[in-house]
């Protein structure tokens, strides 16, 4: 092998020497070598070696290795530019003459910078056709003490399509003891059109405004245009740490967050940046372990502090609303009052600084304010806010300051705000606190539990001040048994000291038990409960509890779930009010793609899954069995997550052997409050076998080729004229060719459900040209 390479090198030298346009010194040699760059084999190639033993590579090699410019001045040889390896800072070249291997090392600084985003990839949201659904909650209550039955319900109808969706919340109650016994209340009626590409939503009707730092959320009937980050759920809006490192050879990166493996990536030689590494809120440490093909490791370490209060640099969050204040919510239908408007805009000026502006008004009040959140390098977030209002009461001012820090084992925060007596907010009937201080500190002792202390102080202009002190402690005692306790002291006009303990134990299989003991100025109470939680699929749950406070009580209940809904029964009996019964059901009725279905609650989105026309095929959502297809081959899948990838899968074992199957699982991302149709490509076909014979009964020769006209598929004829056709879905015309002869045959589509249908002898009529 080495001799052969030397012969190749000599031959290459002769070829390159003839007709060369320009050559360096006569002592330059042309070699064919097996080239390795940073331990990566690049294959055989030409290189030059000068009298000093230095090596030169051509321009195409540098381009292939992605060596960063600028490059040194080249040497010309046979019209080709060659570059000395020694002229690149830190680069080395070594020839192993025994094997004719040239091993070149290029430092990582010469390689390109490679950016690797750690964020998940979005799935395109789908909107298909028109449909409707309605979630409902119905309850009937019988109170033994007054021998009366009342009913109430909540209905949430939705109509959706490419235009967006129209949704409503409607409450119904029938209280026979009331003078106004029956009432139907329209709580909300809203048209929504989401725009995932621009991450925004247009809403018309009953809307809620964004709750800013210097204001409060308002319920308004009108028009709203607002950012909606929920349309891009994989987008992380707050700044995440970036990580910089470099490696000279291809390496595998293991990324550890606070000592736990978070993700693994492969990286090519050169400098690399890991963009937007997902980490937990608060302070922590990130380690990146780079392991090359030889098992050598480099460890990079970086501290970080993450705050979800901040916006990523360049990202904006806004909400603009104009309409009228909603009045008598839940009591009167479509009751609106004064003209009102609200505008909020937040922007990440940098990864450490987020600013906010807010304004709101009614006919007799206007308020403007600004706020800022700043992430400090030492770890923590400082926030400030200033607001001004002008109303009939006068001009008022509000100021607030805050600091928050969270580490792996400890957290603390303090917020101070104060308002002048004339400061007012839209929609608020109460004056703002003169001074409010909210502070807390917590410590995680790990196996010894966690402790938190908090203090809230409020001072008012027109009523006495109050202070609440509280201490909470929780600990896992052993196994699945845990305990939590609290002590709270209220210092106000009426002082009160309260305390409580809670014990919880899990038995597995969705079963658990808990007990609570509490005491305050109103007395001492205790209760205990054992329960079985309802599974995510069809099944049941129950609870049984006893307790004593101002009177003794016993309660019990059961809940069951199937593909059509959830059903519950509860009973509670105490010595004063007697026995009360409550029966309830909740579910949904939906329509799409010609299918009307009662199911469990849709909530946000659903899918109609079609599996050809096959009945009884199991369908899974995120590996949880949802149900089986009906006689039309369809099944309804509620509870999908809008704008996120939902994995839907069919059970292959339920598909007949004579069926053609495309994909057995698909990912779908429906719009909010809508449905999608998911079609699995499953076609039931039939396999047939028969004996192809000529009119005189002679079997067609072995090796003849049968061609199905409408598909073009080809099948060989076997011994004694036997022909096996796979995947026939109709009667088929077939052409058979052999040794220059051609005949035609009509193959009937068999009846029945046999996987392989035997058709006997079929005559193939010779074609007359």
């Amino acid at each position: 092998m080495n001799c052969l390479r030397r012969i190749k090198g000599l031959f290459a030298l002769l070829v390159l020497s003839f007709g060369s346009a320009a050559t360096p010194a006569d002592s330059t040699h042309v070699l064919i070598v097996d080239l390795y760059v940073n331990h990566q084999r690049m294959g055989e190639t030409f290189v030059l070696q000068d009298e000093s033993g230095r090596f030169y590579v051509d321009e195409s090699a540098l381009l292939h290795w992605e060596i960063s410019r600028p490059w040194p001045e080249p040497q010309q040889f046979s019209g080709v530019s060659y570059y000395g390896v020694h002229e690149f800072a830190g680069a080395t070249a070594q020839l192993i003459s025994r094997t004719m291997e040239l091993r070149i090392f290029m430092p990582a600084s010469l390689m390109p910078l490679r950016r690797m985003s750690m964020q998940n990839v979005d799935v395109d949201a789908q909107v298909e056709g028109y449909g409707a659904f309605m979630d409902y909650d119905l309850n009937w209550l019988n109170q033994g003490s007054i021998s009366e039955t009342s009913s109430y319900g909540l209905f949430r109808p939705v109509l959706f399509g490419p235009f967006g969706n129209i949704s409503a919340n409607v409450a119904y109650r029938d209280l026979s003891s009331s003078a106004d016994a029956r009432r139907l209340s329209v709580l909300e009626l809203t048209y929504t059109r989401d725009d995932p590409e621009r991450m925004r939503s247009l809403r018309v009707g009953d809307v809620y405004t964004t709750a800013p730092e210097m204001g409060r959320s308002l319920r308004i009937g009108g028009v709203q245009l607002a950012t909606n980050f929920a349309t891009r759920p994989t987008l992380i809006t707050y700044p995440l740490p970036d990580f910089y490192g470099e490696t000279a050879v291809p390496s595998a990166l293991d990324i550890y967050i606070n000592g736990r493996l978070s993700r693994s990536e492969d990286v090519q030689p050169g400098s690399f940046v890991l963009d937007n590494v997902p980490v937990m809120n608060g302070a922590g440490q990130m380690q990146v372990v780079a392991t090359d093909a030889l098992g050598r490791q480099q460890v990079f370490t970086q501290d970080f502090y993450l705050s979800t209060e901040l916006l990523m640099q360049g990202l904006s969050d806004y909400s603009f609303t104009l309409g009228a204040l909603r009045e008598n919510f839940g009591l009167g239908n479509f009751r609106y009052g004064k003209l009102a408007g609200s505008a909020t805009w937040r922007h990440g000026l940098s990864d450490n600084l987020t600013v906010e502006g807010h304004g709101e008004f009614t006919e007799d009040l206007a308020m403007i304010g600004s706020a800022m959140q700043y992430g400090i390098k030492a770890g923590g977030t400082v926030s400030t806010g200033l607001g001004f209002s002008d109303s009939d009461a006068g001009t008022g001012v509000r100021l607030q300051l805050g600091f928050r820090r969270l580490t792996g084992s400890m957290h603390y925060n303090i917020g101070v705000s104060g308002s002048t007596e004339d400061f007012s907010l839209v929609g608020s009937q109460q004056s703002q606190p003169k001074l409010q201080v909210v502070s807390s500190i917590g410590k995680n002792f790990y196996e010894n539990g966690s402790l938190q202390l908090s203090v809230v102080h409020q001072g008012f202009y027109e009523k006495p001040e109050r202070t609440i002190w509280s201490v909470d402690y929780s600990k896992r005692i052993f196994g699945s048994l845990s305990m939590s306790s609290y002590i709270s002291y209220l210092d106000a006009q009426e002082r009160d000291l309260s305390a409580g303990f809670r014990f919880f134990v899990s038995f597995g299989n969705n079963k658990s038990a808990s007990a609570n003991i509490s005491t305050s100025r109103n007395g001492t109470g205790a209760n205990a409960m054992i329960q079985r939680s309802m599974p995510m699929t069809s099944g049941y749950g129950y609870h049984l509890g006893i307790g004593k406070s101002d009177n003794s009580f016993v309660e019990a209940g059961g809940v069951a779930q199937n593909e059509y809904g959830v059903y519950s029964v509860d009973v509670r009996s105490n010595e004063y009010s007697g026995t009360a019964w409550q029966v309830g059901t909740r579910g949904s009725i939906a329509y799409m793609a010609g299918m009307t279905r009662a199911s469990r609650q849709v909530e946000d989105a659903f899918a109609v899954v079609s599996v050809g026309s096959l009945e009884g095929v199991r369908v899974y959502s995120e590996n949880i069995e949802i149900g089986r297809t009906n006689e039309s081959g369809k099944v309804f899948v509620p509870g999908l997550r809008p704008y996120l990838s939902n994995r839907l899968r069919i059970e292959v074992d339920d598909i007949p052997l004579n069926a053609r199957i495309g994909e057995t699982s698909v990912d779908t991302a429906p719009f909010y409050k809508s449905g999608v149709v998911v079609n699995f490509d499953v076609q039931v076909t039939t396999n047939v076998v028969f004996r192809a014979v000529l009119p005189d009964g002679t079997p067609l020769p072995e090796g003849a080729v049968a061609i199905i006209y409408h598909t073009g598929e080809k099948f060989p004829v076997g011994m004694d004229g036997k022909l096996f056709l796979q995947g026939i879905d109709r009667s088929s015309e077939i052409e058979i060719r052999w040794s220059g002869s051609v005949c035609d045959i009509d193959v009937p589509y068999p009846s029945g459900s046999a996987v392989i249908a035997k058709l006997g002898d079929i005559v193939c009529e010779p074609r007359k040209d």
Side-chain angles (χ1 to χ4, degrees):
M1 177 64 74
N2 295 338
C3 180
L4 180 59
R5 285 183 178 168
R6 292 189 179 95
I7 293 174
K8 286 182 178 180
L10 179 59
F11 177 74
L13 177 61
L14 293 174
V15 171
L16 293 175
S17 296
F18 283 102
S20 79
T23 60
D26 294 338
S27 57
T28 298
H29 302 285
V30 179
L31 303 176
I32 293 182
V33 298
D34 200 3
L35 182 64
Y36 288 79
V37 177
N38 293 10
H39 302 288
Q40 282 187 294
R41 187 176 184 273
M42 298 298 178
E44 291 187 345
T45 188
F46 290 107
V47 297
L48 302 182
Q49 184 182 26
D50 65 13
E51 60 182 354
S52 301
R54 295 176 299 192
F55 294 92
Y56 296 76
V57 296
D58 66 21
E59 181 179 11
S60 62
L62 297 180
L63 292 172
H64 179 69
W65 304 341
E66 301 180 277
I67 301 301
S68 302
R69 295 181 184 272
W71 296 345
E73 288 295 323
Q75 299 287 336
Q76 297 296 318
F77 189 81
S78 297
V80 178
S81 296
Y82 283 82
Y83 297 82
V85 175
H86 62 281
E87 296 188 59
F88 291 90
T92 60
Q94 179 185 11
L95 178 66
I96 303 175
S97 57
R98 182 177 58 84
T99 58
M100 288 301 291
E101 294 177 358
L102 180 61
R103 297 186 175 271
I104 294 177
F105 174 80
M106 287 285 185
S109 58
L110 298 180
M111 303 291 184
L113 177 65
R114 307 178 192 277
R115 305 194 73 92
M116 305 168 61
S117 176
M118 298 290 100
Q119 286 190 266
N120 294 322
V121 178
D122 288 311
V123 178
D124 291 335
Q126 301 168 282
V127 56
E128 300 176 0
Y130 297 85
F133 69 90
M134 182 179 71
D135 287 341
Y136 62 83
D137 289 86
L138 298 174
N139 291 274
W140 293 267
L141 175 65
N142 180 275
Q143 296 175 287
S145 60
I146 56 177
S147 300
E148 185 176 276
T149 300
S150 59
S151 59
Y152 52 94
L154 181 63
F155 306 90
R156 297 177 290 276
V158 177
L159 176 66
F160 63 86
F163 62 88
N165 70 73
I166 301 173
S167 62
N169 281 342
V170 180
Y172 170 79
R173 58 182 179 178
D174 180 3
L175 306 174
S176 57
S177 63
S178 170
D180 189 9
R182 294 179 177 85
R183 174 168 301 206
L184 194 66
S185 301
V186 180
L187 305 179
E188 296 172 329
L189 179 61
T190 309
Y191 163 74
T192 304
R193 183 175 181 84
D194 291 339
D195 185 352
E197 185 176 348
R198 295 180 175 86
M199 294 185 295
R200 68 184 184 187
S201 294
L202 172 67
R203 302 179 182 93
V204 180
D206 295 300
V207 299
Y208 297 91
T209 66
T210 301
E213 285 287 328
M214 299 303 298
R216 57 192 294 270
S217 181
L218 302 174
R219 185 179 281 111
I220 291 178
V223 180
Q224 181 184 80
L225 180 66
T227 305
N228 187 355
F229 291 132
T231 60
R232 291 271 300 276
T234 62
L235 174 69
I236 298 177
T237 60
Y238 45 86
L240 291 172
D242 293 339
F243 187 91
Y244 174 85
E246 63 178 32
T247 177
V249 297
S251 300
L253 303 182
D254 291 325
I255 305 163
Y256 292 84
I257 306 299
N258 295 331
R260 294 186 178 182
L261 180 63
S262 172
R263 193 162 176 171
S264 296
E265 296 285 344
D266 293 327
V267 65
Q268 293 301 312
S271 302
F272 61 87
V273 175
L274 305 180
D275 285 333
N276 301 322
V277 181
V279 297
M280 298 295 290
N281 189 27
Q285 188 179 80
M286 175 168 52
Q287 283 188 326
V288 177
V289 180
T291 306
D292 64 22
L294 300 179
R296 296 175 298 188
Q297 289 187 338
Q298 298 181 75
V299 179
F300 308 92
T301 303
Q302 177 176 306
D303 294 327
F304 65 84
Y305 187 84
L306 174 66
S307 173
T308 57
E309 300 175 76
L310 301 174
L311 282 178
M312 192 176 297
Q313 182 176 359
L315 189 63
S316 294
D317 183 10
Y318 58 85
S319 174
F320 304 103
T321 309
L322 181 64
L325 290 175
R326 181 72 185 267
E327 295 181 342
N328 295 328
F329 181 76
L331 300 176
N333 294 329
F334 306 111
R335 294 282 300 274
Y336 302 97
K338 299 176 181 179
L339 176 69
S342 174
T344 303
W345 177 78
R346 300 181 69 231
H347 184 73
L349 288 179
S350 70
D351 283 347
N352 293 327
L353 178 61
T354 298
V355 295
E356 175 184 308
H358 173 74
E360 58 187 47
F361 75 92
T362 60
E363 297 171 9
D364 54 5
L365 190 154
M367 193 279 286
I368 60 171
S370 62
M372 178 191 73
Q373 295 86 36
Y374 180 74
I376 59 177
K377 292 184 178 180
T381 308
V382 175
S383 60
T384 64
L386 178 64
F388 300 90
S389 70
D390 183 67
S391 65
D392 294 340
T395 301
V397 180
R398 181 181 180 184
L399 177 66
Q400 64 183 39
L401 297 169
F403 175 75
R404 177 176 299 175
R405 177 173 168 80
L406 174 67
T407 66
S409 62
M410 194 169 186
H411 68 87
Y412 46 88
N413 78 90
I414 182 169
V416 180
S417 63
S419 303
T420 63
E421 188 172 3
D422 296 330
F423 183 80
S424 302
L425 294 173
V426 172
S428 177
Q429 304 300 321
Q430 299 179 346
S431 62
Q432 300 303 304
K434 176 174 60 176
L435 176 65
Q436 178 170 286
V437 180
V438 179
S439 61
S440 67
I441 183 170
K443 173 67 176 176
N444 186 353
F445 298 99
Y446 300 103
E447 67 274 6
N448 293 320
S450 61
L451 179 69
Q452 177 169 302
L453 169 67
S454 60
V455 181
V456 177
H457 173 78
Q458 289 181 313
F460 302 93
Y461 287 101
E462 299 177 351
K463 55 184 179 180
E465 63 182 24
R466 62 181 180 182
T467 304
I468 302 174
W469 302 76
S470 62
V471 179
D472 298 88
Y473 176 75
S474 61
K475 183 182 186 304
R476 181 180 296 275
I477 300 175
F478 59 84
S480 58
L481 176 62
S482 60
M483 177 273 293
S484 62
S485 60
Y486 72 91
I487 299 176
S488 178
Y489 176 69
L490 172 63
D491 184 6
Q493 274 188 314
E494 295 184 357
R495 297 180 178 179
D496 186 21
L497 177 65
S498 60
F501 293 88
R502 181 176 186 270
F503 297 90
F504 177 85
V505 59
S506 174
F507 302 114
N509 296 323
N510 297 328
K511 296 178 182 178
S512 62
S514 61
N516 296 273
I517 302 173
S518 61
T519 181
S520 68
R521 60 178 297 177
N522 296 321
T524 300
N527 63 74
M529 179 177 292
I530 184 170
Q531 64 180 11
R532 181 184 190 271
S533 301
M534 187 172 60
M536 297 183 66
T537 56
S538 296
Y540 70 93
Y542 59 80
H543 68 271
L544 176 64
I546 58 174
K548 170 112 176 98
S549 53
D550 53 345
N551 61 82
S552 300
F553 69 88
V554 177
E555 63 179 21
V559 60
Q561 175 176 264
N562 60 18
E563 57 183 308
Y564 302 106
V566 178
Y567 318 93
S568 61
V569 177
D570 292 276
V571 60
R572 182 183 177 100
S573 177
N574 63 56
E575 55 186 318
Y576 291 160
S577 58
T579 301
W581 291 82
Q582 179 171 299
V583 179
T585 180
R586 62 181 185 271
S588 185
I589 300 174
Y591 169 81
M592 190 177 188
M595 182 180 186
T596 302
R597 175 76 175 190
S599 78
R600 297 195 289 267
Q601 287 193 340
V602 169
E603 296 180 350
D604 293 334
F606 70 90
V608 174
V609 174
S610 178
V611 187
S613 58
L614 296 179
E615 182 179 2
V617 178
R618 284 171 287 178
V619 175
Y620 299 83
S621 175
E622 302 297 340
N623 290 324
I624 298 175
E625 183 179 338
I626 298 299
R628 293 177 179 263
T629 54
N630 60 16
E631 63 278 2
S632 301
K634 295 179 179 179
V635 68
F636 188 82
V637 182
L640 298 188
R641 302 165 300 175
Y643 305 110
L644 276 172
S645 175
N646 298 267
R647 173 61 57 92
L648 300 177
R649 176 174 65 86
I650 58 176
E651 181 56 68
V652 178
D653 292 343
D654 296 337
I655 305 296
L657 295 177
N658 59 335
R660 292 181 177 178
I661 308 175
E663 297 291 336
T664 60
S665 65
V666 298
D667 293 327
T668 184
F671 270 61
Y672 179 61
K673 290 191 180 299
S674 72
V676 294
V677 178
V678 177
N679 292 303
F680 284 92
D681 184 17
V682 178
Q683 298 179 0
V684 177
T685 59
T686 299
N687 304 322
V688 299
V689 61
F690 59 91
R691 183 169 176 261
V693 297
L694 295 172
D696 62 0
T698 303
L700 267 65
E702 181 181 358
V705 177
I707 304 173
I708 301 177
Y709 277 122
H710 70 275
T711 65
E713 292 182 276
K714 298 180 179 180
F715 297 90
V717 176
M719 296 179 58
D720 195 28
K722 292 291 181 65
L723 183 58
F724 175 76
L725 302 181
Q726 185 179 19
I728 300 299
D729 59 0
R730 68 182 78 171
S731 297
S732 304
E733 295 181 357
I734 294 175
E735 172 188 271
I736 300 180
R737 293 179 174 271
W738 75 99
S739 301
S741 300
V742 182
C743 66
D744 297 311
I745 188 170
D746 292 329
V747 179
Y749 186 73
S751 59
S753 58
V755 175
I756 301 178
K758 299 179 180 180
L759 303 182
D761 290 356
I762 302 180
V763 175
C764 189
E765 297 289 343
R767 184 182 300 174
K768 297 179 180 180
D769 296 331

